[in-house]
Amino acid sequence: MAKVCVSAYVYGLVQGVGFRYSTQHQAKGLGLTGYARNLDDGSVEVVACGPQADVDQLIEWLKQGGPKSARVDRVLTEPKAAGEYSDFSIRH
């Protein structure tokens, strides 16, 4: 099974609402590796690596709004070169 990595940039009310922690929980449940981190412009960057179907499932969850406390306005995705991530972490 081919491993893919995708960078997703999530815009809206996504900082200070537990977004990174909820994303980490979803990603770990899917067996993905990568990270979530806040960016200076108020968005969250999510890097997800794993089987295509599982990465797609996480991206769909992000597009549907993530955790209930968040408001997602848009999600932009782009392919990313495969990285060596041992788990799914939260970066600061």
Side-chain angles (χ1 to χ4, degrees), residues 14-51:
V14 293
Q15 290 191 11
V17 293
F19 193 89
R20 291 173 299 158
Y21 296 96
S22 295
T23 301
Q24 180 186 46
H25 179 76
Q26 285 292 125
K28 284 187 170 191
L30 292 167
L32 301 176
T33 60
Y35 63 86
R37 69 176 175 153
N38 288 342
L39 298 178
D40 291 340
D41 66 359
S43 67
V44 171
E45 176 190 26
V46 176
V47 172
C49 300

Side-chain angles (χ1 to χ4, degrees), residues 3-90:
K3 179 179 173 181
V4 300
C5 288
V6 172
S7 291
Y9 299 92
V10 187
Y11 298 89
L13 179 61
V14 293
Q15 290 191 11
V17 293
F19 193 89
R20 291 173 299 158
Y21 296 96
S22 295
T23 301
Q24 180 186 46
H25 179 76
Q26 285 292 125
K28 284 187 170 191
L30 292 167
L32 301 176
T33 60
Y35 63 86
R37 69 176 175 153
N38 288 342
L39 298 178
D40 291 340
D41 66 359
S43 67
V44 171
E45 176 190 26
V46 176
V47 172
C49 300
Q52 182 74 60
D54 296 330
V55 171
D56 289 346
Q57 192 172 337
L58 180 67
I59 298 302
E60 188 57 35
W61 179 81
L62 293 172
K63 289 180 177 179
Q64 289 175 359
K68 291 184 182 354
S69 55
R71 186 196 77 240
V72 173
D73 295 334
R74 64 188 161 120
V75 178
L76 303 177
T77 60
E78 62 186 21
K80 180 171 177 63
E84 290 302 317
Y85 307 105
S86 58
D87 63 359
F88 196 95
S89 63
I90 293 172

